[in-house]
Amino acid sequence: MKWDEFFVTGEPMIYAADVSIVLVSLAIVIGLTYFKKWGYLWREWLTTVDHKKIGIMYILSALIMLFRGGVDALLMRAQLATPDSKFLDAQHYNEIFTTHGVIMILFMAMPFVIGMMNVVVPLQIGARDVAFPRLNAVSFWMFFMGAMLFNISFVIGGSPDAGWSAYFPLASLEFSPTVGNNYYSLALQISGIGTLMTGVNFIVTILKMRAPGMKLMRMPMFTWSVLITNVIILFAFPVLTVALALMMFDRVFGSQFFTMANGGMDMLWANLFWVWGHPEVYIVILPAFGIFSDIISTFSKKNLYGYKSMVVSMVAISVLSFLVWAHHFYTMGQGAMVNGFFSITTMAIAVPTGVKIFNWLFTLRKGKISFTSPMLYAMGFIPIFTIGGVTGVMLAMASADYQYHNTMFLVAHFHYVLIPGTVFGVLAGMHYWFPKMFGFRLNERLAKTAFWLIIVGFNVAFMPLFFLGLNGMTRRMYTYSASTGYGPLNMIATIGALILAVGFVVLCYNFFYSFRHSPRNEGGDPWDARTLEWSTPSPVPVYNFAKVPVVHSEDAFWHAKKHNVPLYEEGPYEEIHMPNNSGQPFILGVIMFFLGFFLVFSWFIPAIIAGVGVIIMLAVRSFERDHGYHIPPKEIAATEQKLRGDTV
Amino acid sequence: MKKKRWLFSLIFISVVMLLSGCDTKLMVLDPKGPVAKTQSNTIIFSILMMALVLIVVYILYIFMLTKYRASKTPDDYEPPHMEGSKWLEFIWTAIPIIIVAILSVVTVRTTYAVEKVPAGYEDQKPLVIYASSSNWKWHFSYPEEGIETVNYVNIPTHRPVEFRLYSYGPISSFWVPQLGGQKYAMSDMITKLNLVAEHEGSYMGKNSNFSGKGFAQMEFEVLAQSPADYTKWVKEVQQTAPKLTEQEFNSVLHTDFVGRKSYSSTHLKFSAPPMDMSEHGHGGDNSTDSKESGKDSADHMQDMGDMKDMNDHSSMEHGH
Amino acid sequence: MKINDTLPLEYRTEENSNKIFGFWLFLGAEIVLFSTLFAVYFTLWNRTGNGPTGKELFEVGGVIWETFLLLTSSFTCGLGIHAMRLGLKKPMMIFFVVTLLMGLGFLGIEITEFVNYVHEGATLQTSAFLSSLFVLLGTHGLHVTMGILWGAGILIQVGRQGFTDETANKSFIFSLYWHFLDVVWIFIFSFVYLKGLM
């Protein structure tokens, strides 16, 4: 391979990206050295096993990826704003919508959601950490290195260009000869394994590590949603693991799973991909439902309406999510009977989802609603998501789907589901739990400005796409002629995308503004909230709870506040056992990165060396005898005194 | 909060206006044949049903948000603890189930309807056209007429047309929005699409499934002609167009963009289409007649493998 | 740390019982993984292209030996855990050594078989059927390999430290894993080899 094939060349935008990557890396290195922060970075972040810090790192990575995916989106919208535009060529456009999809789903939505789980779930159930803190760090570094591997593709070797669903035979070596889709299979594989481990970790955490008295039916709704989500992860991700492995075998080792000759079957890929892909949608949306449930209840000053039916509906959604995958390809010719079956299962999902919408609306009833920034996102979610939901029912009807499939109507639909669902969900959660993570709230005025820009921009950007789709505009076309008449609506959509982008800029500016100006003395419970995490001081000490809380009812903290029942038993502190930090997860992640990178380029000898490195890391972990450390009662008392100004 | 209500009513009104205003212009809702007509009716029916749902949710939403705002309640107001109501929860489970049931019936009936030859046309002998895609063109073979076209297809009105779809490369999707919904064209099986044009005219057809660099240009014209004009056109092509040689076909296959072409013979003889899964028979020129239900599927797979080798146009040497 | 003395050693601490539960969940994910591979195999098994079919390829002899070795090793692994519960270090280690040796034997036969296939011109690249066969068997074989390495590591730790709640926990989890591989093999034996030979 020649160097000019190794590095992507010939594109001014890529050169600009090269330069900016080098400059940013240099700035980071110089900054860390100048401020003598290398040790701090290593000790406090890279080696941490603390679920709160891991959660923050997930969220930070997700925000960076949101920026990358957002830039991709803006480039696409810029290209489509006018007919016959020459801004991007076909290949570049194809790469951009592919990376936009992959990054937004797998490297933005997933880590954002998992970050929220990490920060919040142990606090909500009264645990000191997740069940396997070290494994949690491994999960994070696998995700992070997978994301980095995917991101370097656009400067080294070329990005994948076959869409985020990478349908074969288009994604085969024959029709996509660059290494782009090798990156796809390996980067997703590495981060997918991390996600699977997260699934195991959180199921054990939630089922086994709840505080005394926290029965399953007393858990906060977010914790419930996380439990169900992780069960879906556990059953869905192995399918992705297999699909990606077969893809890698086809592309790197010349096997014949999805090829066009020797018995290969392209339809098999589509099936495997969507058997994972549809549950994946619920993996990113159920936790958002949980976040909205907690937020709506908190800011209506009421308990969640229909708690039991909320749980049952989530379980129903999770089961149904595995029975609908073929609705992604009704047009594959499987006949009216199969399509009819999948139409009905798909529409059936509307029933439990509708139950949730009505329960949220009735939670508001007779409440005392305050429109804080998290609540605004939750209230923005309901009407917009309902549009996404009802268009979903329309798409579920196979006969009609023959006309919507692959069009902008579909694009509009899933953005109407995923943006109000997942993105508003995690943004609401971020504003809501921000004081728990950092000890201060985000500025409300700026947060609300950002919200209104985002919600207006979103609708202006995506509403026109419904009509473009019905007018025959297909997705993924890099250009269209003026005679199609698609021009004006596309221009409106681009303007909407710009408003949306401004909204995100304001949202990010708010971090800096609030870091400098927000008050720091608001205590552990600035929102007058209901669940256990708010009974801890903000920011939360490393051990979370000085004493393990005792739960007497649903909304445990609210109950304790209203009825003056102590959450914590009287008596002196006891020693707390904590896990040690470790550099191993980070090192393992780095080795996995190189293993993936070498396989992308079919450099087998370095790959084997990296593979041996992985086995050595596993052996090191097996032989390690690390029993953690203990925090003495005196130190706990001192910490609590400092954070709360009193003893519990 | 006025801002928000204003915003949502604006969105709602604009949706209604766009829907009613564009009704006649939006391609999918401007059908020119019975299949597209069924689909357009299904879509409009589902929009109305869903609008009903949206209205209920929006009314409840606006009601809750205006009535129970903290600024409207006294400072010492303590919201009550409410567990949920069996009756209410039953209602908002049962009504969606009824709606879904109605939509399911409509879906299943219309899905069967659009898969079959449209009602009223069953006793006519369909015009068979093989439509195959390659990067980035559409080839149309008329086996009975013995002609082939590239990137345009002429059909007679009021006669059922059976498109048999397959691909020489990535999965593509054959779509003529004003005549009916799309279907995939794939390399290892034939799929069928039954369409009828009831109005003469030129309609846009395209590949709607992303298939690489030339995807955006992969459009074709469907010209629906009166039967007399159609017969005239067929004769003209048979008499004036050159024969399609294997060499010529391969060169077209490997050229990215070729414009329109016409030939007085088809590629089906030397480059047979894959087998037809839907009828459990062989692909090829006379697949309508071959219903050899006695053969077991393993044999079919074997046949298909052979056929694949025959028309394997690509070099499978994946060197690294 | 909460310790419940009524439970077997490997379950005694809360952390250990979490680990066992977590491993069961992991095995759940593994079941999905192998089910998917089986589904792929069943979809592609008669798509042999120009390559040989299963009937032409499979030989009974080696497969019977593989099955015998793996099934017996699962039994000796169980005996090892029984010995551990009785606190008998040496018998436990002997049973585990026997288990791992039989695992090695299994691997040896499987690799020979693969080499034979390749010599007959049946490679990963030949046909969809062979791709799915090699990947299904290979994934199982890779699991056995990892199991042998892991088991050897645990044996060393038991040898050095005796039965602690940690080593007992690891040994027990290893035994779950090993039994699981046995179950997967029974499916491979029935639905790949027997079905292929019929």
Side-chain angles (χ1 to χ4, degrees), chain A residues 615-637:
Chain A
I615 291 174
I616 290 172
M617 288 309 293
L618 296 178
V620 167
R621 171 60 177 149
S622 177
F623 280 88
E624 184 186 23
R625 295 175 75 184
D626 176 0
H627 297 289
Y629 68 100
H630 294 267
I631 305 177
K634 240 190 213 163
E635 199 184 318
I636 303 168

Side-chain angles (χ1 to χ4, degrees), chain A residues 12-27:
Chain A
M13 263 192 271
I14 302 275
Y15 288 133
D18 287 338
V19 172
S20 56
I21 287 173
V22 171
L23 285 180
V24 169
S25 316
L26 268 178

Side-chain angles (χ1 to χ4, degrees), chain A residues 104-124:
Chain A
M104 284 303 200
I105 293 284
L106 285 142
F107 300 132
M108 190 283 286
M110 287 293 285
F112 221 137
V113 159
I114 294 177
M116 288 290 159
M117 292 180 193
N118 264 288
V119 172
V120 177
V121 166
L123 294 171
Q124 280 198 332

Side-chain angles (χ1 to χ4, degrees), chain C residues 62-63 65-71 73 98-116 134 136-150 177-178 181 185 193:
Chain C
V63 179
W65 271 107
E66 282 177 291
T67 311
F68 171 74
L69 283 174
L70 211 59
L71 257 62
S73 79
V98 173
T99 304
L100 297 184
L101 285 178
M102 284 198 264
L104 269 181
F106 168 88
L107 263 188
I109 301 173
E110 185 159 62
I111 290 168
T112 324
E113 213 178 307
F114 277 18
V115 171
N116 285 341
F134 276 111
L136 173 59
L137 296 181
T139 307
H140 179 262
L142 186 69
H143 275 75
V144 174
T145 315
M146 293 304 284
I148 291 170
L149 291 173
W150 182 20
Y177 179 77
W178 199 260
L181 294 185
W185 180 259
Y193 288 110

Side-chain angles (χ1 to χ4, degrees), chain A residues 480-502:
Chain A
Y480 54 89
S481 63
S483 62
T484 54
Y486 301 153
L489 283 175
N490 270 303
M491 180 53 92
I492 294 176
T494 302
I495 292 167
L498 287 172
I499 301 174
L500 194 56
V502 174

